[in-house]
PDB file of all heavy atoms in Angstrom:
ATOM      1  N   THR A  40     -16.222 -37.574  51.723  1.00 45.00           N
ATOM      2  CA  THR A  40     -16.705 -36.969  50.608  1.00 45.00           C
ATOM      3  C   THR A  40     -15.713 -36.767  49.526  1.00 45.00           C
ATOM      4  O   THR A  40     -15.902 -37.136  48.356  1.00 45.00           O
ATOM      5  CB  THR A  40     -17.278 -35.558  51.004  1.00 45.00           C
ATOM      6  OG1 THR A  40     -17.937 -35.649  52.078  1.00 45.00           O
ATOM      7  CG2 THR A  40     -18.051 -34.934  49.911  1.00 45.00           C
ATOM      8  N   ILE A  41     -14.540 -36.393  49.944  1.00 44.00           N
ATOM      9  CA  ILE A  41     -13.529 -36.233  48.953  1.00 44.00           C
ATOM     10  C   ILE A  41     -13.073 -37.614  48.185  1.00 44.00           C
ATOM     11  O   ILE A  41     -13.055 -37.835  47.068  1.00 44.00           O
ATOM     12  CB  ILE A  41     -12.161 -35.724  49.594  1.00 44.00           C
ATOM     13  CG1 ILE A  41     -12.510 -34.208  50.000  1.00 44.00           C
ATOM     14  CG2 ILE A  41     -10.930 -35.684  48.559  1.00 44.00           C
ATOM     15  CD1 ILE A  41     -11.494 -33.716  51.036  1.00 44.00           C
ATOM     16  N   GLU A  42     -13.069 -38.610  49.280  1.00 46.00           N
ATOM     17  CA  GLU A  42     -12.905 -40.033  48.759  1.00 46.00           C
ATOM     18  C   GLU A  42     -13.852 -40.486  47.722  1.00 46.00           C
ATOM     19  O   GLU A  42     -13.574 -41.225  46.872  1.00 46.00           O
ATOM     20  CB  GLU A  42     -12.693 -40.958  49.836  1.00 46.00           C
ATOM     21  CG  GLU A  42     -11.358 -40.909  50.552  1.00 46.00           C
ATOM     22  CD  GLU A  42     -11.225 -41.809  51.831  1.00 46.00           C
ATOM     23  OE1 GLU A  42     -12.174 -42.448  52.175  1.00 46.00           O
ATOM     24  OE2 GLU A  42     -10.147 -41.989  52.308  1.00 46.00           O
ATOM     25  N   THR A  43     -15.068 -40.232  48.034  1.00 47.00           N
ATOM     26  CA  THR A  43     -16.250 -40.612  47.113  1.00 47.00           C
ATOM     27  C   THR A  43     -16.005 -40.002  45.779  1.00 47.00           C
ATOM     28  O   THR A  43     -16.216 -40.750  44.826  1.00 47.00           O
ATOM     29  CB  THR A  43     -17.603 -40.295  47.804  1.00 47.00           C
ATOM     30  OG1 THR A  43     -17.642 -40.539  49.110  1.00 47.00           O
ATOM     31  CG2 THR A  43     -18.770 -40.750  47.003  1.00 47.00           C
ATOM     32  N   GLU A  44     -15.524 -38.830  45.736  1.00 53.00           N
ATOM     33  CA  GLU A  44     -15.399 -38.182  44.540  1.00 53.00           C
ATOM     34  C   GLU A  44     -14.267 -38.983  43.660  1.00 53.00           C
ATOM     35  O   GLU A  44     -14.547 -39.016  42.476  1.00 53.00           O
ATOM     36  CB  GLU A  44     -15.066 -36.694  44.696  1.00 53.00           C
ATOM     37  CG  GLU A  44     -16.413 -35.958  45.078  1.00 53.00           C
ATOM     38  CD  GLU A  44     -15.812 -34.475  45.429  1.00 53.00           C
ATOM     39  OE1 GLU A  44     -14.766 -34.114  45.524  1.00 53.00           O
ATOM     40  OE2 GLU A  44     -16.945 -33.757  45.793  1.00 53.00           O
ATOM     41  N   THR A  45     -13.406 -39.450  44.451  1.00 60.00           N
ATOM     42  CA  THR A  45     -12.163 -40.063  43.684  1.00 60.00           C
ATOM     43  C   THR A  45     -12.169 -41.507  43.971  1.00 60.00           C
ATOM     44  O   THR A  45     -11.073 -42.105  44.316  1.00 60.00           O
ATOM     45  CB  THR A  45     -10.898 -39.334  44.126  1.00 60.00           C
ATOM     46  OG1 THR A  45     -10.661 -39.570  45.487  1.00 60.00           O
ATOM     47  CG2 THR A  45     -10.778 -37.914  43.727  1.00 60.00           C
ATOM     48  N   LYS A  46     -13.409 -42.165  44.042  1.00 71.00           N
ATOM     49  CA  LYS A  46     -13.451 -43.599  44.464  1.00 71.00           C
ATOM     50  C   LYS A  46     -12.676 -44.462  43.372  1.00 71.00           C
ATOM     51  O   LYS A  46     -12.692 -44.300  42.340  1.00 71.00           O
ATOM     52  CB  LYS A  46     -14.899 -43.889  44.347  1.00 71.00           C
ATOM     53  CG  LYS A  46     -15.263 -45.163  45.087  1.00 71.00           C
ATOM     54  CD  LYS A  46     -16.588 -45.495  44.890  1.00 71.00           C
ATOM     55  CE  LYS A  46     -17.618 -44.756  45.726  1.00 71.00           C
ATOM     56  NZ  LYS A  46     -19.076 -45.026  45.394  1.00 71.00           N
ATOM     57  N   ASN A  47     -12.020 -45.365  44.017  1.00 89.00           N
ATOM     58  CA  ASN A  47     -11.384 -46.268  43.316  1.00 89.00           C
ATOM     59  C   ASN A  47     -12.264 -46.987  42.408  1.00 89.00           C
ATOM     60  O   ASN A  47     -13.248 -47.673  42.706  1.00 89.00           O
ATOM     61  CB  ASN A  47     -10.685 -47.326  44.263  1.00 89.00           C
ATOM     62  CG  ASN A  47      -9.797 -48.516  43.486  1.00 89.00           C
ATOM     63  OD1 ASN A  47     -10.289 -49.085  42.745  1.00 89.00           O
ATOM     64  ND2 ASN A  47      -8.579 -48.542  44.091  1.00 89.00           N
ATOM     65  N   PRO A  48     -11.885 -47.242  41.098  1.00 92.00           N
ATOM     66  CA  PRO A  48     -12.746 -48.021  40.169  1.00 92.00           C
ATOM     67  C   PRO A  48     -13.191 -49.305  40.561  1.00 92.00           C
ATOM     68  O   PRO A  48     -14.409 -49.639  40.412  1.00 92.00           O
ATOM     69  CB  PRO A  48     -12.044 -48.096  38.799  1.00 92.00           C
ATOM     70  CG  PRO A  48     -10.887 -46.911  38.967  1.00 92.00           C
ATOM     71  CD  PRO A  48     -10.634 -46.933  40.519  1.00 92.00           C
ATOM     72  N   SER A  49     -12.316 -50.019  41.194  1.00 93.00           N
ATOM     73  CA  SER A  49     -12.668 -51.363  41.756  1.00 93.00           C
ATOM     74  C   SER A  49     -13.830 -51.324  42.713  1.00 93.00           C
ATOM     75  O   SER A  49     -14.693 -52.061  42.785  1.00 93.00           O
ATOM     76  CB  SER A  49     -11.434 -52.249  42.421  1.00 93.00           C
ATOM     77  OG  SER A  49     -10.547 -52.197  41.386  1.00 93.00           O
ATOM     78  N   VAL A  50     -13.713 -50.405  43.516  1.00 93.00           N
ATOM     79  CA  VAL A  50     -14.654 -50.135  44.676  1.00 93.00           C
ATOM     80  C   VAL A  50     -15.960 -49.795  44.098  1.00 93.00           C
ATOM     81  O   VAL A  50     -17.081 -50.235  44.434  1.00 93.00           O
ATOM     82  CB  VAL A  50     -14.341 -49.198  45.769  1.00 93.00           C
ATOM     83  CG1 VAL A  50     -15.320 -48.836  46.781  1.00 93.00           C
ATOM     84  CG2 VAL A  50     -12.962 -49.613  46.469  1.00 93.00           C
ATOM     85  N   PHE A  51     -15.894 -48.853  43.073  1.00 93.00           N
ATOM     86  CA  PHE A  51     -17.122 -48.426  42.399  1.00 93.00           C
ATOM     87  C   PHE A  51     -17.823 -49.582  41.767  1.00 93.00           C
ATOM     88  O   PHE A  51     -19.092 -49.762  41.931  1.00 93.00           O
ATOM     89  CB  PHE A  51     -16.650 -47.410  41.171  1.00 93.00           C
ATOM     90  CG  PHE A  51     -17.824 -46.678  40.542  1.00 93.00           C
ATOM     91  CD1 PHE A  51     -18.158 -45.485  40.970  1.00 93.00           C
ATOM     92  CD2 PHE A  51     -18.673 -47.383  39.529  1.00 93.00           C
ATOM     93  CE1 PHE A  51     -19.270 -44.804  40.302  1.00 93.00           C
ATOM     94  CE2 PHE A  51     -19.852 -46.773  39.030  1.00 93.00           C
ATOM     95  CZ  PHE A  51     -19.946 -45.490  39.571  1.00 93.00           C
ATOM     96  N   ILE A  52     -17.175 -50.471  41.055  1.00 94.00           N
ATOM     97  CA  ILE A  52     -17.841 -51.635  40.406  1.00 94.00           C
ATOM     98  C   ILE A  52     -18.347 -52.636  41.445  1.00 94.00           C
ATOM     99  O   ILE A  52     -19.452 -53.152  41.402  1.00 94.00           O
ATOM    100  CB  ILE A  52     -16.748 -52.308  39.377  1.00 94.00           C
ATOM    101  CG1 ILE A  52     -16.545 -51.388  38.336  1.00 94.00           C
ATOM    102  CG2 ILE A  52     -17.348 -53.662  38.970  1.00 94.00           C
ATOM    103  CD1 ILE A  52     -17.645 -51.049  37.401  1.00 94.00           C
ATOM    104  N   GLN A  53     -17.577 -52.804  42.595  1.00 94.00           N
ATOM    105  CA  GLN A  53     -17.925 -53.635  43.647  1.00 94.00           C
ATOM    106  C   GLN A  53     -19.345 -53.120  44.207  1.00 94.00           C
ATOM    107  O   GLN A  53     -20.370 -54.041  44.412  1.00 94.00           O
ATOM    108  CB  GLN A  53     -16.883 -53.698  44.695  1.00 94.00           C
ATOM    109  CG  GLN A  53     -17.257 -54.404  45.968  1.00 94.00           C
ATOM    110  CD  GLN A  53     -16.732 -55.729  46.093  1.00 94.00           C
ATOM    111  OE1 GLN A  53     -15.728 -56.183  45.355  1.00 94.00           O
ATOM    112  NE2 GLN A  53     -17.272 -56.497  47.009  1.00 94.00           N
ATOM    113  N   GLU A  54     -19.427 -51.818  44.461  1.00 94.00           N
ATOM    114  CA  GLU A  54     -20.713 -51.324  45.100  1.00 94.00           C
ATOM    115  C   GLU A  54     -21.825 -51.407  44.109  1.00 94.00           C
ATOM    116  O   GLU A  54     -22.894 -51.575  44.451  1.00 94.00           O
ATOM    117  CB  GLU A  54     -20.362 -49.874  45.478  1.00 94.00           C
ATOM    118  CG  GLU A  54     -19.547 -49.957  46.861  1.00 94.00           C
ATOM    119  CD  GLU A  54     -19.341 -48.436  47.384  1.00 94.00           C
ATOM    120  OE1 GLU A  54     -19.815 -47.505  46.619  1.00 94.00           O
ATOM    121  OE2 GLU A  54     -18.424 -48.335  48.280  1.00 94.00           O
ATOM    122  N   CYS A  55     -21.430 -51.107  42.753  1.00 94.00           N
ATOM    123  CA  CYS A  55     -22.497 -51.138  41.839  1.00 94.00           C
ATOM    124  C   CYS A  55     -23.118 -52.506  41.426  1.00 94.00           C
ATOM    125  O   CYS A  55     -24.313 -52.650  41.170  1.00 94.00           O
ATOM    126  CB  CYS A  55     -21.905 -50.501  40.649  1.00 94.00           C
ATOM    127  SG  CYS A  55     -23.161 -50.091  39.301  1.00 94.00           S
ATOM    128  N   MET A  56     -22.201 -53.461  41.424  1.00 95.00           N
ATOM    129  CA  MET A  56     -22.582 -54.887  40.980  1.00 95.00           C
ATOM    130  C   MET A  56     -22.959 -55.903  41.885  1.00 95.00           C
ATOM    131  O   MET A  56     -23.622 -56.867  41.738  1.00 95.00           O
ATOM    132  CB  MET A  56     -21.511 -55.502  40.051  1.00 95.00           C
ATOM    133  CG  MET A  56     -21.282 -54.700  38.775  1.00 95.00           C
ATOM    134  SD  MET A  56     -22.806 -54.998  37.604  1.00 95.00           S
ATOM    135  CE  MET A  56     -22.942 -56.601  37.457  1.00 95.00           C
ATOM    136  N   GLU A  57     -22.393 -55.706  43.240  1.00 95.00           N
ATOM    137  CA  GLU A  57     -22.524 -56.689  44.231  1.00 95.00           C
ATOM    138  C   GLU A  57     -23.814 -57.190  44.634  1.00 95.00           C
ATOM    139  O   GLU A  57     -24.263 -58.324  44.574  1.00 95.00           O
ATOM    140  CB  GLU A  57     -21.781 -56.370  45.564  1.00 95.00           C
ATOM    141  CG  GLU A  57     -21.535 -57.464  46.436  1.00 95.00           C
ATOM    142  CD  GLU A  57     -20.660 -57.084  47.695  1.00 95.00           C
ATOM    143  OE1 GLU A  57     -20.421 -55.933  47.902  1.00 95.00           O
ATOM    144  OE2 GLU A  57     -20.061 -57.982  48.258  1.00 95.00           O
ATOM    145  N   GLU A  58     -24.773 -56.358  44.623  1.00 95.00           N
ATOM    146  CA  GLU A  58     -26.164 -56.655  45.076  1.00 95.00           C
ATOM    147  C   GLU A  58     -26.797 -57.412  43.928  1.00 95.00           C
ATOM    148  O   GLU A  58     -27.628 -58.309  44.162  1.00 95.00           O
ATOM    149  CB  GLU A  58     -26.908 -55.232  45.326  1.00 95.00           C
ATOM    150  CG  GLU A  58     -28.136 -55.505  46.131  1.00 95.00           C
ATOM    151  CD  GLU A  58     -28.914 -54.290  46.509  1.00 95.00           C
ATOM    152  OE1 GLU A  58     -28.268 -53.235  46.734  1.00 95.00           O
ATOM    153  OE2 GLU A  58     -30.195 -54.346  46.408  1.00 95.00           O
ATOM    154  N   THR A  59     -26.573 -56.898  42.586  1.00 96.00           N
ATOM    155  CA  THR A  59     -27.210 -57.723  41.449  1.00 96.00           C
ATOM    156  C   THR A  59     -26.712 -59.063  41.478  1.00 96.00           C
ATOM    157  O   THR A  59     -27.519 -59.994  41.366  1.00 96.00           O
ATOM    158  CB  THR A  59     -26.673 -56.985  40.269  1.00 96.00           C
ATOM    159  OG1 THR A  59     -27.127 -55.479  40.356  1.00 96.00           O
ATOM    160  CG2 THR A  59     -27.522 -57.551  38.975  1.00 96.00           C
ATOM    161  N   ILE A  60     -25.447 -59.207  41.699  1.00 97.00           N
ATOM    162  CA  ILE A  60     -24.915 -60.610  41.652  1.00 97.00           C
ATOM    163  C   ILE A  60     -25.409 -61.491  42.765  1.00 97.00           C
ATOM    164  O   ILE A  60     -25.948 -62.570  42.635  1.00 97.00           O
ATOM    165  CB  ILE A  60     -23.372 -60.734  41.694  1.00 97.00           C
ATOM    166  CG1 ILE A  60     -22.782 -59.956  40.615  1.00 97.00           C
ATOM    167  CG2 ILE A  60     -22.828 -62.135  41.867  1.00 97.00           C
ATOM    168  CD1 ILE A  60     -21.233 -59.660  40.606  1.00 97.00           C
ATOM    169  N   GLN A  61     -25.471 -60.814  43.917  1.00 97.00           N
ATOM    170  CA  GLN A  61     -26.102 -61.666  45.086  1.00 97.00           C
ATOM    171  C   GLN A  61     -27.512 -61.929  44.959  1.00 97.00           C
ATOM    172  O   GLN A  61     -28.012 -63.093  45.173  1.00 97.00           O
ATOM    173  CB  GLN A  61     -26.021 -60.730  46.451  1.00 97.00           C
ATOM    174  CG  GLN A  61     -26.479 -61.249  47.667  1.00 97.00           C
ATOM    175  CD  GLN A  61     -25.592 -62.504  48.134  1.00 97.00           C
ATOM    176  OE1 GLN A  61     -24.404 -62.149  48.508  1.00 97.00           O
ATOM    177  NE2 GLN A  61     -26.130 -63.629  48.124  1.00 97.00           N
ATOM    178  N   ASP A  62     -28.291 -60.926  44.412  1.00 97.00           N
ATOM    179  CA  ASP A  62     -29.732 -61.430  44.222  1.00 97.00           C
ATOM    180  C   ASP A  62     -29.894 -62.478  43.100  1.00 97.00           C
ATOM    181  O   ASP A  62     -30.745 -63.344  43.217  1.00 97.00           O
ATOM    182  CB  ASP A  62     -30.462 -60.028  43.623  1.00 97.00           C
ATOM    183  CG  ASP A  62     -30.671 -59.016  44.679  1.00 97.00           C
ATOM    184  OD1 ASP A  62     -30.431 -59.311  45.946  1.00 97.00           O
ATOM    185  OD2 ASP A  62     -30.974 -57.877  44.316  1.00 97.00           O
ATOM    186  N   THR A  63     -29.118 -62.379  42.067  1.00 97.00           N
ATOM    187  CA  THR A  63     -29.082 -63.451  41.009  1.00 97.00           C
ATOM    188  C   THR A  63     -28.821 -64.787  41.555  1.00 97.00           C
ATOM    189  O   THR A  63     -29.584 -65.679  41.284  1.00 97.00           O
ATOM    190  CB  THR A  63     -28.153 -63.092  39.878  1.00 97.00           C
ATOM    191  OG1 THR A  63     -28.393 -61.649  39.407  1.00 97.00           O
ATOM    192  CG2 THR A  63     -28.297 -63.993  38.629  1.00 97.00           C
ATOM    193  N   VAL A  64     -27.782 -64.743  42.359  1.00 97.00           N
ATOM    194  CA  VAL A  64     -27.263 -65.946  43.070  1.00 97.00           C
ATOM    195  C   VAL A  64     -28.400 -66.662  43.981  1.00 97.00           C
ATOM    196  O   VAL A  64     -28.813 -67.897  43.732  1.00 97.00           O
ATOM    197  CB  VAL A  64     -26.058 -65.877  43.796  1.00 97.00           C
ATOM    198  CG1 VAL A  64     -25.884 -67.078  44.732  1.00 97.00           C
ATOM    199  CG2 VAL A  64     -24.835 -65.717  42.868  1.00 97.00           C
ATOM    200  N   ASN A  65     -29.074 -65.831  44.598  1.00 97.00           N
ATOM    201  CA  ASN A  65     -30.176 -66.171  45.490  1.00 97.00           C
ATOM    202  C   ASN A  65     -31.394 -66.732  44.703  1.00 97.00           C
ATOM    203  O   ASN A  65     -31.920 -67.824  45.109  1.00 97.00           O
ATOM    204  CB  ASN A  65     -30.755 -64.983  46.333  1.00 97.00           C
ATOM    205  CG  ASN A  65     -29.739 -64.535  47.341  1.00 97.00           C
ATOM    206  OD1 ASN A  65     -28.723 -65.371  47.643  1.00 97.00           O
ATOM    207  ND2 ASN A  65     -29.930 -63.387  47.931  1.00 97.00           N
ATOM    208  N   ILE A  66     -31.810 -66.078  43.570  1.00 97.00           N
ATOM    209  CA  ILE A  66     -32.925 -66.487  42.713  1.00 97.00           C
ATOM    210  C   ILE A  66     -32.596 -67.893  42.178  1.00 97.00           C
ATOM    211  O   ILE A  66     -33.305 -68.775  42.164  1.00 97.00           O
ATOM    212  CB  ILE A  66     -33.212 -65.479  41.717  1.00 97.00           C
ATOM    213  CG1 ILE A  66     -33.793 -64.229  42.292  1.00 97.00           C
ATOM    214  CG2 ILE A  66     -34.127 -66.110  40.633  1.00 97.00           C
ATOM    215  CD1 ILE A  66     -33.882 -62.905  41.378  1.00 97.00           C
ATOM    216  N   ILE A  67     -31.355 -67.879  41.526  1.00 97.00           N
ATOM    217  CA  ILE A  67     -30.972 -69.173  40.897  1.00 97.00           C
ATOM    218  C   ILE A  67     -30.884 -70.287  41.859  1.00 97.00           C
ATOM    219  O   ILE A  67     -31.280 -71.449  41.511  1.00 97.00           O
ATOM    220  CB  ILE A  67     -29.594 -68.849  40.270  1.00 97.00           C
ATOM    221  CG1 ILE A  67     -29.676 -68.205  38.928  1.00 97.00           C
ATOM    222  CG2 ILE A  67     -28.729 -70.180  40.160  1.00 97.00           C
ATOM    223  CD1 ILE A  67     -28.338 -67.947  38.176  1.00 97.00           C
ATOM    224  N   SER A  68     -30.521 -70.092  42.948  1.00 97.00           N
ATOM    225  CA  SER A  68     -30.381 -71.170  44.027  1.00 97.00           C
ATOM    226  C   SER A  68     -31.788 -71.735  44.456  1.00 97.00           C
ATOM    227  O   SER A  68     -31.862 -72.865  44.707  1.00 97.00           O
ATOM    228  CB  SER A  68     -29.672 -70.642  45.386  1.00 97.00           C
ATOM    229  OG  SER A  68     -28.446 -70.122  44.960  1.00 97.00           O
ATOM    230  N   LEU A  69     -32.856 -70.902  44.381  1.00 97.00           N
ATOM    231  CA  LEU A  69     -34.015 -71.284  44.736  1.00 97.00           C
ATOM    232  C   LEU A  69     -34.779 -71.930  43.607  1.00 97.00           C
ATOM    233  O   LEU A  69     -35.894 -72.473  43.703  1.00 97.00           O
ATOM    234  CB  LEU A  69     -34.792 -70.170  45.351  1.00 97.00           C
ATOM    235  CG  LEU A  69     -34.335 -69.635  46.703  1.00 97.00           C
ATOM    236  CD1 LEU A  69     -35.274 -68.404  47.041  1.00 97.00           C
ATOM    237  CD2 LEU A  69     -34.389 -70.686  47.748  1.00 97.00           C
TER     238      LEU A  69
END
Side-chain angles (χ1 to χ4, degrees):
Chain A
T40 314
I41 293 159
E42 275 179 359
T43 310
E44 284 173 357
T45 57
K46 197 185 279 174
N47 182 304
S49 300
V50 176
F51 190 101
I52 293 300
Q53 170 99 18
E54 285 178 4
C55 188
M56 289 298 300
E57 195 171 12
E58 201 180 321
T59 308
I60 298 171
Q61 181 68 66
D62 290 348
T63 308
V64 166
N65 290 347
I66 290 168
I67 276 176
S68 300
L69 294 177

